[in-house]
Amino acid sequence: MESVAALVGSRIAGFELGILCQVFGLDRSDDGLPGYDFAVCGPRPGLVPTTSGFAVEVSHDLSRVAEADLVAVPAWPDLDAPLDPAIATALQDAYARGAVLLSVCSGAFALAGAGLLDGRRATTHWQFADRLVRRFPRVRIERDVLYVTDGPVLTSAGAAAGIDACLHLVRRVHGSGTANALARRMVVPAHREGGQAQYVEMPLPAVPTGEGMAEVLDWAAEHLDRDLPVATLAHRAGMSVRNFARRFRTTTGTTPHRWLLEQRLQRAELLLETSDLTVDVVAERSGFGSADTLRHHFARRRGTTPHAHRHAFHV
């Protein structure tokens, strides 16, 4: 994945385009991170208005899409308008030649308008899910997830879920070490558990100051090789087990068990990618205890084996 085209229409959603620019448009090669030949393109180059009151200079026409390894569509403001035939053709041609297609938020409407979501699993912002199904009944909508991968097509939920989808793609192409490093640079989680159901009609509550939850999460991430029962974490946070579990879900959108499992899987992935440690040692250092347990969770959560992951991503 070397060439990335962000495809826009007659109007641009500035924040969602900014996500694509942040992940794929910045040169971080000095930090050892991959760089991309990134361009914003559309059917009519020139100044294109955004939904936020300013305009963006689009320098490339749709011929740029024909060269891209990844074609990314930010949120699509004109949900009910017919898709520009030129855009539909560009997307269809990109799919036919094997490019990866990514949509952020309502960008799924553009992919669906080109017929590329027919019969596929896909998602979009929860506010627009019913609307997407009404317009494109052949789409197999998944409402409660942050992103969905179906073949070469990756769709994401509301705006910030586009970050999750982009990091997932970076992880798939470059490995977990690169995705984690990029997430640290962007000051975002490398992987979020849960889905968008927790955000429907109710924003995620802020963590009250002084609660110590962030410190507990940091401590747990540094001691994954230990046995970490909820009672231990609750004690460090100065809470009862019940109160800690409730506040943990409010803060992270998942349970302590599932959060620890994901952290341990990410630690195991990093060790497999960056070391020659045996699978038994990787399992011990990431907190799984045994290679069999590590293999079990790798199969369930990643759909692969530690050996296959190392073969694919070992540095």
Side-chain angles (χ1 to χ4, degrees):
M1 190 172 69
E2 298 177 351
S3 175
V4 179
L7 175 58
V8 301
S10 59
R11 291 195 301 156
I12 296 173
F15 179 77
E16 289 80 355
L17 175 61
I19 290 172
L20 300 175
C21 295
Q22 176 69 214
V23 176
F24 302 110
L26 291 182
D27 182 4
R28 297 186 175 95
S29 55
D30 287 345
D31 296 325
L33 294 173
Y36 307 96
D37 181 9
F38 177 81
V40 180
C41 58
R44 287 166 290 279
L47 284 176
V48 178
T50 70
T51 55
S52 302
F54 60 92
V56 171
E57 178 74 30
V58 176
S59 302
H60 299 269
D61 61 19
L62 294 177
S63 63
R64 184 64 175 73
V65 176
E67 306 169 0
D69 304 311
L70 168 64
V71 180
V73 184
W76 207 252
D78 302 313
L79 302 184
D80 296 320
L83 187 64
D84 185 322
I87 293 177
T89 298
L91 289 170
Q92 292 161 357
D93 290 348
Y95 172 79
R97 63 179 173 78
V100 175
L101 301 173
L102 164 69
S103 69
V104 178
C105 193
S106 58
F109 281 76
L111 298 184
L116 299 178
L117 298 185
D118 289 354
R120 289 189 183 276
R121 296 180 301 112
T123 193
T124 188
H125 193 292
W126 59 267
Q127 281 187 311
F128 307 133
D130 289 338
R131 201 166 174 179
L132 182 68
V133 172
R134 285 196 300 270
R135 283 203 62 197
F136 307 102
R138 295 185 62 189
V139 178
R140 295 161 53 195
I141 193 72
E142 296 196 7
R143 303 170 183 271
D144 297 338
V145 297
L146 295 175
Y147 56 84
V148 174
T149 299
D150 192 325
V153 180
L154 177 58
T155 54
S156 63
I163 301 175
D164 298 288
C166 289
L167 289 173
H168 169 74
L169 182 57
V170 170
R171 179 182 298 275
R172 194 172 77 182
V173 174
H174 301 292
S176 60
T178 297
N180 291 346
L182 178 57
R184 284 193 293 273
R185 283 294 306 273
M186 294 174 62
V187 199
V188 296
H191 178 82
R192 281 197 296 167
E193 280 292 332
Q196 63 172 328
Q198 59 188 300
Y199 303 103
V200 176
E201 298 292 0
M202 183 174 65
L204 189 66
V207 183
T209 58
E211 217 174 53
M213 187 67 74
E215 290 81 0
V216 172
L217 295 181
D218 289 342
W219 180 86
E222 294 173 358
H223 298 85
L224 294 174
D225 57 333
R226 300 185 184 183
D227 183 27
L228 296 174
V230 176
T232 297
L233 301 179
H235 177 73
R236 291 194 67 87
M239 305 179 198
S240 68
V241 170
R242 183 176 180 180
N243 189 39
F244 176 80
R246 179 177 60 83
R247 291 185 181 276
F248 193 98
R249 179 178 282 279
T250 298
T251 304
T252 67
T254 190
T255 65
H257 173 75
R258 288 178 65 86
W259 184 86
L260 281 169
L261 176 59
E262 186 59 37
Q263 295 299 310
R264 285 174 165 145
L265 282 170
Q266 290 185 30
R267 173 68 57 80
E269 287 174 333
L270 183 62
L271 292 173
L272 290 167
E273 294 167 13
T274 59
S275 76
D276 293 318
L277 297 172
T278 66
V279 174
D280 291 280
V281 175
V282 169
E284 181 180 346
R285 293 192 181 182
S286 54
F288 287 104
S290 72
D292 286 342
T293 303
L294 174 60
R295 293 187 186 100
H296 169 75
H297 288 295
F298 241 87
R300 289 194 61 188
R301 303 285 292 176
R302 299 295 192 258
T304 187
T305 66
H307 175 77
H309 184 88
R310 169 170 276 169
H311 180 74
F313 297 112
H314 189 264
V315 178

